[in-house]
Amino acid sequence: MSTGLIILLIVIAAVVVLGAVALTVRGRTRRGGPNLKRRFGPEYERTVALHDGDTTAAERELTERLERHGDLRERPLDGAERQRYADRWTAVQEHFVDSPRQAVAEADLLIGELAAARGYPDGARYEEQLAALSVHHADHVDGYRQVHRVAHAAAGTGADGTGAGTEEMRSALLGARALFEDLTSAESGRHRAPAGTGRSTPPAATRSHAPWALHRSRPKES
């Protein structure tokens, strides 16, 4: 092989390598900035706030979540499964009237179980499950985060010697309900339209919940 041919092959190989690097960098750039903000919505703002306004660090974290969980495909629920979960959520709502602490604990466990049934990491790996849900249900994942935090606060006591208050527990359940409806919807995982666009109506199994007593009820337990 002539020296000239060897040099040509080396140049071609170098061009290929540089091209691959450029494509990788370009791909990461596309995933960042406006695209990440559009995909994660309120979760993007929350992550930036957690990083004290450092958007580079926040986008690095969100990109890592996307790379780990972006290819996850939700396992569909059949109508009977959706109805069973809906009935269990109705029971949670009813329990809130007399035992809000029990209700938030049940809601936390129920969402973790439901997410696992849909193909997300098991609820025992809460942080990983939450990260995966944030990729596919960014609009409402914070409801799960809140109910999980409040469930654990309700089970113990805070720094002031008290657990979570009734209003805090009610608010957490209301937030968690949105994620629950996403996960039990026949259209689950297909709702990633930009914020402000319309969404499909939840299926009958979700709409058949008992009247939402949390809005006006006065639980006996505080």
Side-chain angles (χ1 to χ4, degrees):
M1 184 179 294
S2 67
T3 303
L5 182 56
I6 292 174
I7 293 174
L8 178 61
L9 291 174
I10 292 173
V11 170
I12 292 173
V15 169
V16 170
V17 170
L18 289 173
V21 170
L23 286 174
T24 300
V25 172
R26 191 178 306 148
R28 289 178 178 173
T29 301
R30 283 201 197 103
R31 287 199 298 270
N35 285 340
L36 277 177
K37 197 169 187 177
R38 187 161 49 247
R39 169 139 194 163
F40 283 94
E43 188 70 5
Y44 179 96
E45 302 300 337
R46 177 188 171 278
T47 307
V48 170
L50 284 176
H51 285 279
D52 297 322
D54 186 341
T55 57
T56 300
E59 290 185 359
R60 185 183 306 117
E61 177 184 332
L62 294 174
T63 298
E64 289 172 356
R65 291 191 210 174
L66 195 55
E67 290 173 348
R68 288 201 312 273
H69 305 294
D71 293 334
L72 185 148
R73 294 293 176 265
E74 293 182 331
R75 185 185 76 79
L77 300 177
D78 61 32
E81 287 177 304
R82 287 200 302 273
Q83 189 61 60
R84 281 196 297 272
Y85 281 114
D87 291 343
R88 289 174 64 185
W89 186 265
T90 296
V92 168
Q93 296 178 175
E94 292 170 348
H95 291 164
F96 187 87
V97 177
D98 295 315
S99 183
R101 298 185 193 283
Q102 177 187 347
V104 294
E106 290 173 352
D108 179 39
L109 292 173
L110 178 55
I111 291 179
E113 179 185 328
L114 172 58
R118 296 304 311 272
Y120 290 92
D122 186 82
R125 295 182 290 155
Y126 167 72
E127 293 295 341
E128 193 68 9
Q129 186 183 70
L130 189 73
L133 285 167
S134 75
V135 172
H136 298 276
H137 295 276
D139 287 347
H140 298 125
V141 69
D142 199 49
Y144 182 27
R145 185 182 287 114
Q146 289 178 30
V147 86
H148 184 81
R149 175 181 56 77
V150 169
H152 285 73
T157 56
D160 59 356
T162 62
T166 300
E167 290 304 317
E168 187 178 3
M169 289 187 281
R170 178 184 290 112
S171 176
L173 270 182
L174 286 169
R177 183 188 184 191
L179 177 62
F180 175 85
E181 291 183 345
D182 266 2
L183 288 170
T184 52
S185 169
E187 297 298 314
S188 181
R190 303 178 191 174
H191 65 282
R192 301 186 196 95
T197 59
R199 292 182 55 196
S200 59
T201 303
T206 303
R207 294 198 308 272
S208 64
H209 291 155
W212 184 234
L214 301 188
H215 290 297
R216 296 182 180 178
S217 62
R218 293 182 178 274
K220 297 175 182 178
E221 183 179 347
S222 61

mmCIF file of all heavy atoms in Angstrom, residues 10-53:
data_model
loop_
_atom_site.group_PDB
_atom_site.id
_atom_site.type_symbol
_atom_site.label_atom_id
_atom_site.label_comp_id
_atom_site.label_asym_id
_atom_site.label_seq_id
_atom_site.Cartn_x
_atom_site.Cartn_y
_atom_site.Cartn_z
ATOM 1 N N ILE A 10 -6.177 7.668 6.474
ATOM 2 C CA ILE A 10 -6.129 8.310 7.792
ATOM 3 C C ILE A 10 -6.989 9.561 7.812
ATOM 4 O O ILE A 10 -7.731 9.824 8.769
ATOM 5 C CB ILE A 10 -4.667 8.644 8.164
ATOM 6 C CG1 ILE A 10 -3.868 7.359 8.399
ATOM 7 C CG2 ILE A 10 -4.618 9.542 9.408
ATOM 8 C CD1 ILE A 10 -2.384 7.578 8.609
ATOM 9 N N VAL A 11 -6.915 10.355 6.743
ATOM 10 C CA VAL A 11 -7.720 11.584 6.652
ATOM 11 C C VAL A 11 -9.207 11.245 6.663
ATOM 12 O O VAL A 11 -10.005 11.889 7.354
ATOM 13 C CB VAL A 11 -7.343 12.378 5.388
ATOM 14 C CG1 VAL A 11 -8.338 13.515 5.163
ATOM 15 C CG2 VAL A 11 -5.922 12.918 5.494
ATOM 16 N N ILE A 12 -9.587 10.212 5.886
ATOM 17 C CA ILE A 12 -11.004 9.814 5.822
ATOM 18 C C ILE A 12 -11.487 9.368 7.199
ATOM 19 O O ILE A 12 -12.583 9.741 7.650
ATOM 20 C CB ILE A 12 -11.204 8.694 4.792
ATOM 21 C CG1 ILE A 12 -10.964 9.241 3.383
ATOM 22 C CG2 ILE A 12 -12.602 8.097 4.908
ATOM 23 C CD1 ILE A 12 -10.970 8.171 2.305
ATOM 24 N N ALA A 13 -10.659 8.572 7.896
ATOM 25 C CA ALA A 13 -11.041 8.100 9.225
ATOM 26 C C ALA A 13 -11.213 9.268 10.192
ATOM 27 O O ALA A 13 -12.146 9.301 11.005
ATOM 28 C CB ALA A 13 -9.985 7.130 9.753
ATOM 29 N N ALA A 14 -10.309 10.251 10.101
ATOM 30 C CA ALA A 14 -10.392 11.415 10.982
ATOM 31 C C ALA A 14 -11.662 12.213 10.719
ATOM 32 O O ALA A 14 -12.332 12.677 11.649
ATOM 33 C CB ALA A 14 -9.167 12.307 10.787
ATOM 34 N N VAL A 15 -12.035 12.343 9.440
ATOM 35 C CA VAL A 15 -13.258 13.075 9.077
ATOM 36 C C VAL A 15 -14.482 12.356 9.633
ATOM 37 O O VAL A 15 -15.417 12.983 10.156
ATOM 38 C CB VAL A 15 -13.360 13.227 7.543
ATOM 39 C CG1 VAL A 15 -14.744 13.745 7.156
ATOM 40 C CG2 VAL A 15 -12.280 14.173 7.035
ATOM 41 N N VAL A 16 -14.489 11.024 9.523
ATOM 42 C CA VAL A 16 -15.624 10.247 10.036
ATOM 43 C C VAL A 16 -15.772 10.427 11.543
ATOM 44 O O VAL A 16 -16.868 10.633 12.058
ATOM 45 C CB VAL A 16 -15.454 8.751 9.685
ATOM 46 C CG1 VAL A 16 -16.488 7.906 10.424
ATOM 47 C CG2 VAL A 16 -15.576 8.537 8.187
ATOM 48 N N VAL A 17 -14.645 10.350 12.265
ATOM 49 C CA VAL A 17 -14.670 10.509 13.719
ATOM 50 C C VAL A 17 -15.159 11.896 14.106
ATOM 51 O O VAL A 17 -16.013 12.062 14.992
ATOM 52 C CB VAL A 17 -13.279 10.249 14.321
ATOM 53 C CG1 VAL A 17 -13.256 10.644 15.800
ATOM 54 C CG2 VAL A 17 -12.897 8.787 14.162
ATOM 55 N N LEU A 18 -14.636 12.920 13.451
ATOM 56 C CA LEU A 18 -15.052 14.293 13.751
ATOM 57 C C LEU A 18 -16.533 14.500 13.448
ATOM 58 O O LEU A 18 -17.236 15.197 14.172
ATOM 59 C CB LEU A 18 -14.204 15.284 12.947
ATOM 60 C CG LEU A 18 -12.734 15.427 13.389
ATOM 61 C CD1 LEU A 18 -11.975 16.314 12.407
ATOM 62 C CD2 LEU A 18 -12.656 16.000 14.794
ATOM 63 N N GLY A 19 -16.996 13.889 12.350
ATOM 64 C CA GLY A 19 -18.406 13.996 12.010
ATOM 65 C C GLY A 19 -19.291 13.362 13.064
ATOM 66 O O GLY A 19 -20.340 13.904 13.426
ATOM 67 N N ALA A 20 -18.871 12.196 13.577
ATOM 68 C CA ALA A 20 -19.648 11.520 14.615
ATOM 69 C C ALA A 20 -19.703 12.353 15.883
ATOM 70 O O ALA A 20 -20.747 12.464 16.534
ATOM 71 C CB ALA A 20 -19.030 10.151 14.907
ATOM 72 N N VAL A 21 -18.570 12.959 16.240
ATOM 73 C CA VAL A 21 -18.533 13.818 17.424
ATOM 74 C C VAL A 21 -19.459 15.013 17.244
ATOM 75 O O VAL A 21 -20.207 15.387 18.155
ATOM 76 C CB VAL A 21 -17.092 14.294 17.701
ATOM 77 C CG1 VAL A 21 -17.088 15.374 18.787
ATOM 78 C CG2 VAL A 21 -16.219 13.112 18.107
ATOM 79 N N ALA A 22 -19.422 15.609 16.056
ATOM 80 C CA ALA A 22 -20.278 16.776 15.793
ATOM 81 C C ALA A 22 -21.749 16.410 15.894
ATOM 82 O O ALA A 22 -22.550 17.170 16.435
ATOM 83 C CB ALA A 22 -19.959 17.334 14.409
ATOM 84 N N LEU A 23 -22.121 15.241 15.363
ATOM 85 C CA LEU A 23 -23.518 14.799 15.434
ATOM 86 C C LEU A 23 -23.957 14.562 16.868
ATOM 87 O O LEU A 23 -25.077 14.883 17.251
ATOM 88 C CB LEU A 23 -23.707 13.520 14.614
ATOM 89 C CG LEU A 23 -23.694 13.693 13.090
ATOM 90 C CD1 LEU A 23 -23.733 12.326 12.410
ATOM 91 C CD2 LEU A 23 -24.878 14.549 12.628
ATOM 92 N N THR A 24 -23.057 13.996 17.673
ATOM 93 C CA THR A 24 -23.378 13.749 19.077
ATOM 94 C C THR A 24 -23.608 15.048 19.819
ATOM 95 O O THR A 24 -24.580 15.204 20.560
ATOM 96 C CB THR A 24 -22.241 12.961 19.754
ATOM 97 O OG1 THR A 24 -22.069 11.712 19.079
ATOM 98 C CG2 THR A 24 -22.562 12.710 21.221
ATOM 99 N N VAL A 25 -22.698 16.002 19.601
ATOM 100 C CA VAL A 25 -22.832 17.309 20.257
ATOM 101 C C VAL A 25 -24.101 18.010 19.812
ATOM 102 O O VAL A 25 -24.844 18.580 20.611
ATOM 103 C CB VAL A 25 -21.593 18.193 19.963
ATOM 104 C CG1 VAL A 25 -21.820 19.614 20.470
ATOM 105 C CG2 VAL A 25 -20.358 17.579 20.598
ATOM 106 N N ARG A 26 -24.380 17.935 18.497
ATOM 107 C CA ARG A 26 -25.581 18.586 17.967
ATOM 108 C C ARG A 26 -26.836 17.961 18.548
ATOM 109 O O ARG A 26 -27.804 18.633 18.873
ATOM 110 C CB ARG A 26 -25.584 18.476 16.450
ATOM 111 C CG ARG A 26 -26.664 19.347 15.793
ATOM 112 C CD ARG A 26 -26.586 19.222 14.274
ATOM 113 N NE ARG A 26 -25.254 19.520 13.800
ATOM 114 C CZ ARG A 26 -24.709 18.958 12.727
ATOM 115 N NH1 ARG A 26 -25.385 18.071 12.032
ATOM 116 N NH2 ARG A 26 -23.486 19.294 12.352
ATOM 117 N N GLY A 27 -26.820 16.631 18.690
ATOM 118 C CA GLY A 27 -27.976 15.948 19.244
ATOM 119 C C GLY A 27 -28.236 16.357 20.682
ATOM 120 O O GLY A 27 -29.369 16.578 21.086
ATOM 121 N N ARG A 28 -27.157 16.446 21.456
ATOM 122 C CA ARG A 28 -27.324 16.869 22.844
ATOM 123 C C ARG A 28 -27.814 18.302 22.930
ATOM 124 O O ARG A 28 -28.598 18.664 23.799
ATOM 125 C CB ARG A 28 -25.999 16.715 23.595
ATOM 126 C CG ARG A 28 -25.630 15.258 23.845
ATOM 127 C CD ARG A 28 -24.306 15.117 24.548
ATOM 128 N NE ARG A 28 -23.998 13.731 24.820
ATOM 129 C CZ ARG A 28 -22.854 13.300 25.295
ATOM 130 N NH1 ARG A 28 -21.871 14.171 25.551
ATOM 131 N NH2 ARG A 28 -22.648 12.005 25.524
ATOM 132 N N THR A 29 -27.344 19.136 22.019
ATOM 133 C CA THR A 29 -27.788 20.536 21.997
ATOM 134 C C THR A 29 -29.274 20.620 21.686
ATOM 135 O O THR A 29 -30.019 21.395 22.281
ATOM 136 C CB THR A 29 -26.982 21.336 20.957
ATOM 137 O OG1 THR A 29 -25.605 21.260 21.284
ATOM 138 C CG2 THR A 29 -27.418 22.790 20.940
ATOM 139 N N ARG A 30 -29.717 19.778 20.720
ATOM 140 C CA ARG A 30 -31.134 19.806 20.359
ATOM 141 C C ARG A 30 -32.004 19.388 21.539
ATOM 142 O O ARG A 30 -33.110 19.869 21.726
ATOM 143 C CB ARG A 30 -31.388 18.839 19.192
ATOM 144 C CG ARG A 30 -30.960 19.360 17.851
ATOM 145 C CD ARG A 30 -31.699 18.615 16.742
ATOM 146 N NE ARG A 30 -31.044 18.803 15.467
ATOM 147 C CZ ARG A 30 -30.279 17.902 14.896
ATOM 148 N NH1 ARG A 30 -30.069 16.748 15.501
ATOM 149 N NH2 ARG A 30 -29.721 18.132 13.733
ATOM 150 N N ARG A 31 -31.496 18.410 22.333
ATOM 151 C CA ARG A 31 -32.291 17.935 23.455
ATOM 152 C C ARG A 31 -32.354 18.968 24.563
ATOM 153 O O ARG A 31 -33.219 18.906 25.424
ATOM 154 C CB ARG A 31 -31.692 16.632 24.012
ATOM 155 C CG ARG A 31 -31.923 15.436 23.119
ATOM 156 C CD ARG A 31 -31.732 14.152 23.903
ATOM 157 N NE ARG A 31 -30.378 14.012 24.407
ATOM 158 C CZ ARG A 31 -29.404 13.417 23.753
ATOM 159 N NH1 ARG A 31 -29.619 12.913 22.558
ATOM 160 N NH2 ARG A 31 -28.198 13.311 24.287
ATOM 161 N N GLY A 32 -31.437 19.896 24.602
ATOM 162 C CA GLY A 32 -31.401 20.878 25.660
ATOM 163 C C GLY A 32 -32.250 22.096 25.340
ATOM 164 O O GLY A 32 -33.021 22.117 24.396
ATOM 165 N N GLY A 33 -32.098 23.113 26.170
ATOM 166 C CA GLY A 33 -32.760 24.392 25.940
ATOM 167 C C GLY A 33 -34.259 24.287 25.751
ATOM 168 O O GLY A 33 -34.955 23.662 26.538
ATOM 169 N N PRO A 34 -34.772 24.903 24.685
ATOM 170 C CA PRO A 34 -36.216 24.950 24.468
ATOM 171 C C PRO A 34 -36.870 23.577 24.394
ATOM 172 O O PRO A 34 -37.992 23.393 24.861
ATOM 173 C CB PRO A 34 -36.334 25.693 23.128
ATOM 174 C CG PRO A 34 -35.073 26.475 23.014
ATOM 175 C CD PRO A 34 -34.019 25.633 23.657
ATOM 176 N N ASN A 35 -36.185 22.579 23.818
ATOM 177 C CA ASN A 35 -36.789 21.257 23.703
ATOM 178 C C ASN A 35 -36.993 20.608 25.067
ATOM 179 O O ASN A 35 -38.045 20.017 25.325
ATOM 180 C CB ASN A 35 -35.937 20.351 22.810
ATOM 181 C CG ASN A 35 -36.073 20.706 21.345
ATOM 182 O OD1 ASN A 35 -37.041 21.348 20.952
ATOM 183 N ND2 ASN A 35 -35.120 20.295 20.545
ATOM 184 N N LEU A 36 -36.002 20.699 25.931
ATOM 185 C CA LEU A 36 -36.167 20.160 27.276
ATOM 186 C C LEU A 36 -37.246 20.924 28.039
ATOM 187 O O LEU A 36 -38.056 20.331 28.754
ATOM 188 C CB LEU A 36 -34.848 20.250 28.049
ATOM 189 C CG LEU A 36 -33.822 19.130 27.821
ATOM 190 C CD1 LEU A 36 -32.562 19.420 28.609
ATOM 191 C CD2 LEU A 36 -34.398 17.779 28.221
ATOM 192 N N LYS A 37 -37.259 22.219 27.868
ATOM 193 C CA LYS A 37 -38.251 23.045 28.554
ATOM 194 C C LYS A 37 -39.656 22.695 28.099
ATOM 195 O O LYS A 37 -40.602 22.626 28.891
ATOM 196 C CB LYS A 37 -37.962 24.527 28.275
ATOM 197 C CG LYS A 37 -38.631 25.488 29.233
ATOM 198 C CD LYS A 37 -38.069 26.884 29.033
ATOM 199 C CE LYS A 37 -38.605 27.836 30.089
ATOM 200 N NZ LYS A 37 -38.007 29.180 29.941
ATOM 201 N N ARG A 38 -39.798 22.442 26.795
ATOM 202 C CA ARG A 38 -41.102 22.085 26.243
ATOM 203 C C ARG A 38 -41.521 20.695 26.712
ATOM 204 O O ARG A 38 -42.682 20.461 27.032
ATOM 205 C CB ARG A 38 -41.033 22.147 24.720
ATOM 206 C CG ARG A 38 -42.376 21.955 24.024
ATOM 207 C CD ARG A 38 -42.325 22.476 22.597
ATOM 208 N NE ARG A 38 -41.171 21.987 21.867
ATOM 209 C CZ ARG A 38 -40.148 22.742 21.453
ATOM 210 N NH1 ARG A 38 -40.144 24.044 21.724
ATOM 211 N NH2 ARG A 38 -39.126 22.233 20.786
ATOM 212 N N ARG A 39 -40.580 19.766 26.760
ATOM 213 C CA ARG A 39 -40.909 18.390 27.135
ATOM 214 C C ARG A 39 -41.266 18.280 28.618
ATOM 215 O O ARG A 39 -42.216 17.599 28.983
ATOM 216 C CB ARG A 39 -39.743 17.465 26.822
ATOM 217 C CG ARG A 39 -39.907 16.058 27.423
ATOM 218 C CD ARG A 39 -39.481 14.991 26.509
ATOM 219 N NE ARG A 39 -39.955 13.692 26.960
ATOM 220 C CZ ARG A 39 -39.999 12.624 26.201
ATOM 221 N NH1 ARG A 39 -39.630 12.700 24.941
ATOM 222 N NH2 ARG A 39 -40.432 11.467 26.665
ATOM 223 N N PHE A 40 -40.479 18.929 29.482
ATOM 224 C CA PHE A 40 -40.649 18.748 30.919
ATOM 225 C C PHE A 40 -41.564 19.788 31.566
ATOM 226 O O PHE A 40 -42.022 19.569 32.689
ATOM 227 C CB PHE A 40 -39.290 18.752 31.612
ATOM 228 C CG PHE A 40 -38.526 17.466 31.456
ATOM 229 C CD1 PHE A 40 -37.602 17.313 30.442
ATOM 230 C CD2 PHE A 40 -38.747 16.403 32.315
ATOM 231 C CE1 PHE A 40 -36.893 16.133 30.288
ATOM 232 C CE2 PHE A 40 -38.049 15.216 32.179
ATOM 233 C CZ PHE A 40 -37.118 15.077 31.162
ATOM 234 N N GLY A 41 -41.823 20.895 30.895
ATOM 235 C CA GLY A 41 -42.764 21.883 31.423
ATOM 236 C C GLY A 41 -42.449 22.309 32.843
ATOM 237 O O GLY A 41 -41.337 22.769 33.139
ATOM 238 N N PRO A 42 -43.420 22.150 33.777
ATOM 239 C CA PRO A 42 -43.188 22.593 35.160
ATOM 240 C C PRO A 42 -42.046 21.840 35.838
ATOM 241 O O PRO A 42 -41.410 22.374 36.745
ATOM 242 C CB PRO A 42 -44.528 22.293 35.858
ATOM 243 C CG PRO A 42 -45.195 21.274 34.985
ATOM 244 C CD PRO A 42 -44.768 21.591 33.595
ATOM 245 N N GLU A 43 -41.780 20.620 35.413
ATOM 246 C CA GLU A 43 -40.671 19.861 35.996
ATOM 247 C C GLU A 43 -39.328 20.502 35.634
ATOM 248 O O GLU A 43 -38.370 20.438 36.408
ATOM 249 C CB GLU A 43 -40.721 18.414 35.499
ATOM 250 C CG GLU A 43 -39.735 17.480 36.171
ATOM 251 C CD GLU A 43 -40.042 17.177 37.623
ATOM 252 O OE1 GLU A 43 -41.106 17.614 38.128
ATOM 253 O OE2 GLU A 43 -39.209 16.520 38.271
ATOM 254 N N TYR A 44 -39.260 21.130 34.463
ATOM 255 C CA TYR A 44 -38.043 21.857 34.062
ATOM 256 C C TYR A 44 -37.793 23.009 35.028
ATOM 257 O O TYR A 44 -36.684 23.176 35.545
ATOM 258 C CB TYR A 44 -38.209 22.376 32.635
ATOM 259 C CG TYR A 44 -37.022 23.167 32.113
ATOM 260 C CD1 TYR A 44 -36.033 22.552 31.346
ATOM 261 C CD2 TYR A 44 -36.895 24.527 32.384
ATOM 262 C CE1 TYR A 44 -34.945 23.265 30.868
ATOM 263 C CE2 TYR A 44 -35.815 25.258 31.915
ATOM 264 C CZ TYR A 44 -34.841 24.622 31.149
ATOM 265 O OH TYR A 44 -33.762 25.341 30.691
ATOM 266 N N GLU A 45 -38.831 23.801 35.283
ATOM 267 C CA GLU A 45 -38.672 24.962 36.180
ATOM 268 C C GLU A 45 -38.316 24.513 37.588
ATOM 269 O O GLU A 45 -37.486 25.137 38.257
ATOM 270 C CB GLU A 45 -39.968 25.785 36.194
ATOM 271 C CG GLU A 45 -40.407 26.299 34.831
ATOM 272 C CD GLU A 45 -39.366 27.214 34.188
ATOM 273 O OE1 GLU A 45 -38.544 27.796 34.927
ATOM 274 O OE2 GLU A 45 -39.379 27.347 32.949
ATOM 275 N N ARG A 46 -38.935 23.442 38.036
ATOM 276 C CA ARG A 46 -38.647 22.935 39.379
ATOM 277 C C ARG A 46 -37.188 22.489 39.473
ATOM 278 O O ARG A 46 -36.512 22.761 40.469
ATOM 279 C CB ARG A 46 -39.577 21.757 39.701
ATOM 280 C CG ARG A 46 -39.294 21.131 41.054
ATOM 281 C CD ARG A 46 -40.072 19.851 41.272
ATOM 282 N NE ARG A 46 -39.589 19.212 42.491
ATOM 283 C CZ ARG A 46 -38.510 18.446 42.568
ATOM 284 N NH1 ARG A 46 -37.797 18.233 41.478
ATOM 285 N NH2 ARG A 46 -38.138 17.922 43.708
ATOM 286 N N THR A 47 -36.694 21.802 38.445
ATOM 287 C CA THR A 47 -35.314 21.308 38.471
ATOM 288 C C THR A 47 -34.319 22.469 38.437
ATOM 289 O O THR A 47 -33.296 22.438 39.122
ATOM 290 C CB THR A 47 -35.065 20.353 37.296
ATOM 291 O OG1 THR A 47 -36.079 19.326 37.301
ATOM 292 C CG2 THR A 47 -33.703 19.682 37.397
ATOM 293 N N VAL A 48 -34.623 23.487 37.647
ATOM 294 C CA VAL A 48 -33.759 24.675 37.615
ATOM 295 C C VAL A 48 -33.722 25.318 38.999
ATOM 296 O O VAL A 48 -32.651 25.707 39.486
ATOM 297 C CB VAL A 48 -34.251 25.680 36.558
ATOM 298 C CG1 VAL A 48 -33.508 27.011 36.692
ATOM 299 C CG2 VAL A 48 -34.061 25.122 35.145
ATOM 300 N N ALA A 49 -34.873 25.422 39.651
ATOM 301 C CA ALA A 49 -34.928 26.017 40.994
ATOM 302 C C ALA A 49 -34.110 25.190 41.990
ATOM 303 O O ALA A 49 -33.417 25.745 42.848
ATOM 304 C CB ALA A 49 -36.379 26.124 41.458
ATOM 305 N N LEU A 50 -34.180 23.859 41.873
ATOM 306 C CA LEU A 50 -33.409 22.988 42.772
ATOM 307 C C LEU A 50 -31.904 23.171 42.586
ATOM 308 O O LEU A 50 -31.124 22.958 43.508
ATOM 309 C CB LEU A 50 -33.789 21.527 42.542
ATOM 310 C CG LEU A 50 -35.126 21.069 43.128
ATOM 311 C CD1 LEU A 50 -35.409 19.625 42.744
ATOM 312 C CD2 LEU A 50 -35.135 21.211 44.646
ATOM 313 N N HIS A 51 -31.522 23.580 41.362
ATOM 314 C CA HIS A 51 -30.106 23.824 41.080
ATOM 315 C C HIS A 51 -29.761 25.310 41.221
ATOM 316 O O HIS A 51 -28.795 25.789 40.629
ATOM 317 C CB HIS A 51 -29.759 23.334 39.677
ATOM 318 C CG HIS A 51 -29.650 21.832 39.558
ATOM 319 N ND1 HIS A 51 -28.518 21.140 39.921
ATOM 320 C CD2 HIS A 51 -30.543 20.904 39.149
ATOM 321 C CE1 HIS A 51 -28.714 19.844 39.721
ATOM 322 N NE2 HIS A 51 -29.929 19.670 39.260
ATOM 323 N N ASP A 52 -30.584 26.024 41.993
ATOM 324 C CA ASP A 52 -30.341 27.452 42.270
ATOM 325 C C ASP A 52 -30.199 28.282 41.001
ATOM 326 O O ASP A 52 -29.352 29.182 40.911
ATOM 327 C CB ASP A 52 -29.088 27.623 43.142
ATOM 328 C CG ASP A 52 -29.233 26.972 44.515
ATOM 329 O OD1 ASP A 52 -30.341 27.050 45.075
ATOM 330 O OD2 ASP A 52 -28.256 26.381 45.002
ATOM 331 N N GLY A 53 -31.035 27.977 40.011
ATOM 332 C CA GLY A 53 -31.040 28.752 38.775
ATOM 333 C C GLY A 53 -29.986 28.350 37.766
ATOM 334 O O GLY A 53 -29.895 28.964 36.692
#
